[in-house]
Amino acid sequence: SGQARGNWGEVKLRRLFEMAGLSEHVNFMEQVTLDNGLRPDFVVVLPEEGVIPIDSKAVGEKYLEAVETEAGPVQDDLLLKHAKSMRTRITELSSKAYQESIEGNFDHVVMFVPSEAMAAAAFNVDPDLMEYAMSKAVLVTTPVTMLGLLRTVALYWQQHALAEGAREIYDVSREFYKRVTTMVEH
């Protein structure tokens, strides 16, 4: 069912957050309900007020039917319907206009497709699909690309923590120097 596939996508996405080393309520929030009633599956929090909204979209009904069908016109038609379904999901996700309801700086919404094969099949049938998604401010990701994105977020947080630590050391050292200078003058 569509609900089962949606749950599968969310569980897979949650597992990728764990693999990337991100912590809920620190680096991301799950199932945040916005003022307008919309609810992205995840919102990744970045330093400097950045955010990345993520929705899991397991659009696989027609793909799964195509996989179970022998090669030929019926399978081609099912794969075409799968690509159209993905394009529809991109349009729906873009129309949610998260940019207007989520506080923080971001340019794109991430659409997570929990299967490399599902995404590849849609992109093979509709070669302009990625360009269409980008024009709608939607980034289509799969488990491999999502893990790369989330690992980059984790690294960004580590670098931010190091920079904050270095800034604090600099400030303390500067204050210490001023006090030592004052003491020596006395």
Side-chain angles (χ1 to χ4, degrees), residues 23-43:
S23 303
E24 188 171 3
H25 305 295
V26 175
N27 306 114
F28 70 93
M29 295 167 288
E30 187 174 0
Q31 299 293 333
V32 177
T33 302
L34 306 174
D35 293 338
N36 59 5
L38 294 175
R39 189 172 66 175
D41 294 323
F42 294 87
V43 176

Side-chain angles (χ1 to χ4, degrees), residues 116-175:
E116 307 287 337
M118 281 182 193
F123 292 138
N124 283 337
V125 172
D126 185 353
D128 297 327
L129 188 60
M130 184 62 80
E131 188 175 322
Y132 175 75
M134 297 288 283
S135 74
K136 295 289 188 182
V138 175
L139 297 175
V140 178
T141 63
T142 61
V144 171
T145 55
M146 180 58 77
L147 182 59
L149 174 66
L150 295 176
R151 294 285 303 204
T152 302
V153 167
L155 181 62
Y156 187 54
W157 270 111
Q158 290 172 352
Q159 294 299 317
H160 180 71
L162 287 173
E164 288 292 311
R167 188 174 303 125
E168 186 177 338
I169 290 170
Y170 173 77
D171 292 342
V172 168
S173 298
R174 189 172 177 170
E175 182 63 27

